[in-house]
Amino acid sequence: MSAKHCILAASLALLAPASAFAADGPPDGSTPEQKAAIAKDPAYRKQDLVLTNLPRQRMAPKKLFNGRDLTGWDSWLGYTVPATTYGTPSSAPIGLNQDTFGVFKVVTEDGAPAIYSSGKLFGGLLTKQSHRNYHLHVEYKWGANTWTPMPRNNGVLYHSHGAYGAFFGTWMSAIEFEVVPHSVGMLLTVGDSKGKQSFETVDWRVGATVPVANDPSIPYPSRRYFKGGLPSRLTFPTWNVDAGSDAEKPLGEWNSLDLYVFGDKSIHVVNGVPVMAATSLTTKDAKGRTVPLTGGKIQLQSEGAETYFRAITIEPISRLPTIAERKPG
């Protein structure tokens, strides 16, 4: 598996050495079935997209981070040896609110309070409350240190639901707003590994539909978000769609993320640029029936690289904004 493929598989935390992966790891486009899954995708071209018709702000946004401590949040940590997460774990997950390692803590960064996510252990910082129909604002900046052989990786997981650590002992089932260099805003579905460390047996219980186009410059499934593209369901083996454009600022600068969710739809915005839109977000209920996914907890990840988060606010909305393509001239 190439390093670049690992970057784009990053929201599934593929940051361990290759020897730690299960033999049946992420799909790479090598089988006839995998090739057929993307055969009808149209060709990608870069679009100049803007966000318009913003929902009216009716009240001041609520702070999810009070600037003093982690009140309102829970932590869940995975395995003591992160490199074994997708192979044979060396222990049971560390679990709920057992962060004696300082993986998540409040620090002062650039003269203001921020949540520090160390990345040394894999896990998540989760809101105690579930949320729906909202605009979430988060600012992040990469730290200096990384702890794996792969490039930086993090993410904001939303509509998180079900059991703690359902996905490979580490994260709740969710939709992911990916934070990885050059692919910030990628969307992935995070399922339930059912206790077995294999991508082939994951219950891909979370689904989404995204309009896509084929960009052969990126690894399989070689799909980017494309306004007006082919509506495609994220199902294994095509479980991710890359951001429509790279809107991240240079390393060391603060970036703003804005997530709009209403009903079973979502929009990802990076530094003011809309890079992803999804519809028909779904999950499975206790009887295995597919149902709309319209709310859940919010998770900030720890996944191999130091990251700072600040200015985390949420406000209710009554509709989504609109994504439009800017016309030349």
Side-chain angles (χ1 to χ4, degrees):
M1 182 182 301
S2 70
K4 186 174 182 182
H5 191 123
C6 289
I7 297 171
L8 295 179
S11 80
L12 300 183
L14 301 181
L15 295 180
S19 60
F21 295 123
D24 48 357
D28 58 7
S30 60
T31 70
E33 292 79 11
Q34 291 171 9
K35 293 175 182 177
I38 62 172
K40 296 182 180 179
D41 292 358
Y44 170 80
R45 64 171 174 80
K46 188 172 181 179
Q47 297 176 305
D48 184 7
L49 301 179
V50 294
L51 201 64
T52 65
N53 194 28
L54 295 177
R56 181 178 301 176
Q57 185 173 334
R58 298 183 177 180
M59 61 184 71
K62 176 184 177 181
K63 294 181 179 180
L64 291 183
F65 169 46
N66 63 22
R68 301 183 303 276
D69 54 36
L70 298 178
T71 298
W73 299 82
D74 288 317
S75 66
W76 177 275
L77 297 180
Y79 304 106
T80 54
V81 182
T84 65
T85 299
Y86 299 94
T88 303
S90 57
S91 64
I94 296 167
L96 183 65
N97 294 327
Q98 299 296 316
D99 186 6
T100 60
F101 309 88
V103 174
F104 299 105
K105 60 185 178 181
V106 177
V107 299
T108 298
E109 181 68 13
D110 294 337
I115 295 175
Y116 173 74
S117 172
S118 77
K120 279 191 174 182
L121 296 177
F122 290 177
L125 191 67
L126 305 96
T127 57
K128 290 181 179 292
Q129 294 185 336
S130 293
H131 300 275
R132 67 183 63 238
N133 298 338
Y134 60 82
H135 165 212
L136 174 73
H137 177 81
V138 180
E139 295 178 6
Y140 81 90
K141 185 183 80 166
W142 295 114
N145 294 313
T146 61
W147 314 108
T148 72
M150 298 302 170
R152 290 174 169 81
N153 180 37
N154 210 298
V156 177
L157 280 66
Y158 58 98
H159 291 357
S160 304
H161 61 285
Y164 291 106
F167 192 71
F168 289 94
T170 307
W171 294 287
M172 271 185 163
S173 296
I175 302 288
E176 181 164 4
F177 187 137
E178 177 67 275
V179 178
V180 67
H182 309 299
S183 293
V184 179
M186 175 194 283
L187 187 146
L188 298 98
T189 58
V190 180
D192 186 334
S193 58
K194 298 295 185 183
K196 181 175 172 58
Q197 307 303 105
S198 166
F199 279 86
E200 293 293 335
T201 57
V202 168
D203 175 7
W204 298 99
R205 57 179 294 159
V206 179
T209 297
V210 176
V212 303
N214 179 269
D215 181 355
S217 71
I218 60 177
Y220 186 85
S222 308
R223 283 178 161 172
R224 288 193 183 277
Y225 163 69
F226 189 76
K227 179 176 170 56
L230 178 69
S232 298
R233 194 73 182 154
L234 273 71
T235 55
F236 195 83
T238 56
W239 42 264
N240 71 66
V241 176
D242 207 345
S245 61
D246 178 4
E248 188 181 27
K249 294 181 180 179
L251 182 67
E253 295 186 20
W254 287 97
N255 295 266
S256 65
L257 307 179
D258 289 279
L259 169 66
Y260 294 87
V261 294
F262 189 78
D264 62 351
K265 301 176 176 63
S266 66
I267 292 175
H268 299 184
V269 183
V270 179
N271 294 319
V273 179
V275 298
M276 179 66 58
T279 61
S280 300
L281 306 180
T282 59
T283 188
K284 293 179 182 178
D285 66 13
K287 295 183 178 180
R289 297 172 299 193
T290 298
V291 296
L293 179 57
T294 59
K297 297 184 177 185
I298 297 163
Q299 301 180 77
L300 305 178
Q301 286 188 312
S302 171
E303 197 177 359
E306 284 184 326
T307 314
Y308 299 92
F309 297 99
R310 71 180 188 187
I312 308 171
T313 62
I314 194 167
E315 60 180 326
I317 58 174
S318 58
R319 59 172 174 80
L320 290 177
T322 302
I323 298 176
E325 186 172 8
R326 199 192 318 264
K327 301 301 181 183

